Amino acid sequence: MGGMTTVDPIRLVDLRETPLSVDEVRAAVADDAAGGTVLFVGSVRDHDGPAAAVTSLEYSAHPTAGAELRRVAADVVAAFPGCAVAATHRLGPLAVGDLAVVVAVSAAHRDAAFRASRLLIDELKSRVPIWKHQRFADGTEEWVGAGAGRPAGTTPVA
């Protein structure tokens, strides 16, 4: 009693082509000993920058992306002992408003939950090799590289 349970602190790590569930991710980190749960939900917005109207996008991932996402989760639980983590990221075509990423962290106290969730989403975005192909209302498109690399022939976009 009084501490987080002894089950695997990495409760859910998945890349999928089906819609993501906030309830599933939140439930994955639920723990009676957790006093704080932080949930981050990233969705497809209708713009990128002040003038670029996004009509749709598609996420693709390197075959190692799932393993790298698990390493990110392991690094977070190592940095924040006692936390439980979950992370799901969507692949394939998405429309404006669709959920692209859902992460959650639970911890005994809110400070650790907030800090660990920030680390989880930041490291996921910087280390996991997932790429976003955005299409704009003016007919242009761009690849936005994430993680350790990007598709051949593309350039990174900030």
Side-chain angles (χ1 to χ4, degrees):
M1 291 186 216
M4 297 291 285
T5 59
T6 59
V7 297
D8 185 353
I10 301 172
R11 306 282 176 83
L12 172 64
V13 173
D14 198 20
L15 304 173
R16 56 177 72 150
E17 294 186 6
T18 57
L20 304 181
S21 167
V22 171
D23 290 337
E24 175 193 23
V25 175
R26 183 182 176 279
V29 299
D31 192 308
D32 289 343
T37 300
V38 174
L39 185 68
F40 174 79
V41 179
S43 56
V44 178
R45 63 183 178 262
D46 66 358
H47 67 282
D48 188 15
V54 173
T55 58
S56 66
L57 60 82
E58 184 169 351
Y59 284 102
S60 57
H62 189 273
T64 63
E68 186 60 27
L69 180 54
R70 180 159 283 282
R71 281 190 286 279
V72 165
D75 289 348
V76 171
V77 298
F80 293 92
C83 287
V85 302
T88 58
H89 200 294
R90 183 84 184 268
L91 299 177
L94 284 82
V96 170
D98 285 347
L99 302 185
V101 61
V102 180
V103 303
V105 174
S106 64
H109 302 284
R110 71 179 179 271
D111 184 57
F114 275 115
R115 291 175 36 220
S117 75
R118 179 66 185 242
L119 182 62
L120 179 58
I121 190 62
D122 287 351
E123 290 297 301
L124 182 160
K125 301 260 315 159
S126 70
R127 290 174 40 192
V128 180
I130 297 172
W131 304 282
K132 178 170 60 175
H133 184 196
Q134 298 187 112
R135 292 172 187 86
F136 301 103
D138 67 1
T140 62
E141 57 186 46
E142 75 177 348
W143 282 94
V144 180
R150 61 190 160 275
T154 65
T155 55
V157 178

